[in-house]
Amino acid sequence: MRYRRYVALGDSCAEGLDDPYPDGSGYRGFADLAAARLAERAPSLEYANLAVRGRRLDQILAEQVPLATSLRPDLVTLFGGGNDVLQGRWETRAVAEALDDAVRALAEAAATVVLFTLTDITGRLPGLRRLAPRVALLNRMIVGTAARHGAVLVDLRGDVAAGDGRYFGGDRLHLSELGHRRVAAHLLRALDIPPAENWLAPLPPVVREPYWRLAAREWTWLRHHVFPAVHGTVRNRLIGRQPGDGFVPKRPEPARVTTGG
């Protein structure tokens, strides 16, 4: 199928963190990569990306879904739920209702709606293992919601590369360039469109490193990602700030896509 207008919704992963464009012009990510591939088949394709980092499903429903439906897309992707898991405000019923309401509205507006399960990062990050049941529950919600509303499901849980540290960026939370390319490839395959040949290529073997270098990498991660994240969380709670406040969609208006990627 050749799509006319593609709108991406979601959080930081849909926005493209942690996959910057080589020229420093912003973040790319799986949605941009997929849009470029789709435009190779349909050069008139228009693409908008309404995703904003830090957004929960209720915020996506309130802020992004109405705008997305007004754009009259024929393809919509929704990648979200991770912030509901991480932000400590989990309410099972509220999360399920926000997800269902969002997908119902999108399915009424677009011929093709795509949802994604989340890879489980809780075993990779200290202190998050307790959230593993929450991730599993969210994924069951996503699977059930996709089936209920006839959405296409991209199940990322089966990608063996998600267990490799190279799948994630420097903070070990957001996808790396490699991770985004793999998600884009899974999305395209779900749409019966071939991805670039190397996007799902097996990863080369990991090169063993001396312990001093591993220790240095751990310290760098703690210093530049963990400590700032903890400080930022405490500060935001004190001043009533939400993650993502002050950020806006990177591509709010549909526009033609530059192919390649």
Side-chain angles (χ1 to χ4, degrees):
M1 179 175 179
R2 294 195 175 191
Y3 296 100
R4 174 185 57 83
R5 180 168 290 175
Y6 167 30
V7 178
L9 291 78
D11 52 24
S12 55
C13 286
E15 184 183 344
L17 276 67
D18 196 15
D19 178 26
Y21 276 100
D23 63 3
S25 60
Y27 288 105
R28 177 174 46 193
F30 77 85
D32 286 21
L33 290 166
R37 193 71 173 174
L38 292 169
E40 292 177 0
R41 300 169 62 93
S44 62
L45 175 80
E46 294 181 333
Y47 164 56
N49 190 315
L50 309 180
V52 176
R53 66 195 72 180
R55 291 298 189 260
R56 302 183 308 271
L57 285 168
D58 63 322
Q59 295 171 310
I60 293 170
L61 172 62
E63 301 168 7
Q64 299 177 26
V65 170
L67 179 54
T69 58
S70 73
L71 296 177
R72 304 181 65 182
D74 50 8
L75 171 64
V76 173
T77 59
L78 171 58
F79 193 116
N83 292 302
D84 296 82
V85 169
L86 295 172
Q87 288 182 20
R89 300 179 51 175
W90 181 270
E91 296 180 11
T92 299
R93 182 173 179 177
V95 172
E97 289 179 350
L99 177 62
D100 190 80
D101 289 347
V103 178
R104 179 187 297 109
L106 295 172
E108 291 174 354
T112 304
V113 178
V114 183
L115 302 182
F116 303 79
T117 57
L118 305 184
T119 55
D120 187 359
I121 62 168
T122 59
R124 300 182 51 81
L125 297 175
L128 294 187
R129 189 175 294 277
R130 61 186 174 82
L131 299 179
R134 193 179 289 181
V135 175
L137 175 57
L138 174 64
N139 279 331
R140 290 196 296 272
M141 290 179 181
I142 292 170
V143 172
T145 303
R148 193 159 51 251
H149 296 291
V152 175
L153 179 69
V154 177
D155 195 345
L156 299 175
R157 295 172 296 181
D159 190 342
V160 295
D164 192 299
R166 292 168 291 183
Y167 190 86
F168 298 97
D171 63 1
R172 304 182 185 178
L173 177 64
H174 294 101
L175 298 172
S176 65
E177 176 185 355
L178 182 147
H180 276 287
R181 287 179 182 271
R182 293 188 71 87
V183 173
H186 291 306
L187 167 58
L188 290 167
R189 282 190 167 184
L191 299 175
D192 294 323
I193 296 170
E197 291 184 3
N198 62 336
W199 286 3
L200 288 176
L203 303 183
V206 176
V207 178
R208 295 182 61 87
E209 296 181 308
Y211 288 114
W212 67 266
R213 185 169 293 170
L214 294 174
R217 183 176 292 114
E218 289 297 305
W219 169 245
T220 298
W221 174 63
L222 289 169
R223 180 180 179 184
H224 293 289
H225 298 289
V226 177
F227 296 154
V230 171
H231 177 266
T233 298
V234 172
R235 181 191 60 197
N236 287 342
R237 287 179 178 175
L238 289 174
I239 66 176
R241 181 182 175 89
Q242 295 291 324
D245 283 358
F247 290 93
V248 297
K250 67 178 184 180
R251 196 181 175 104
E253 298 293 336
R256 295 283 184 92
V257 181
T258 301
T259 59

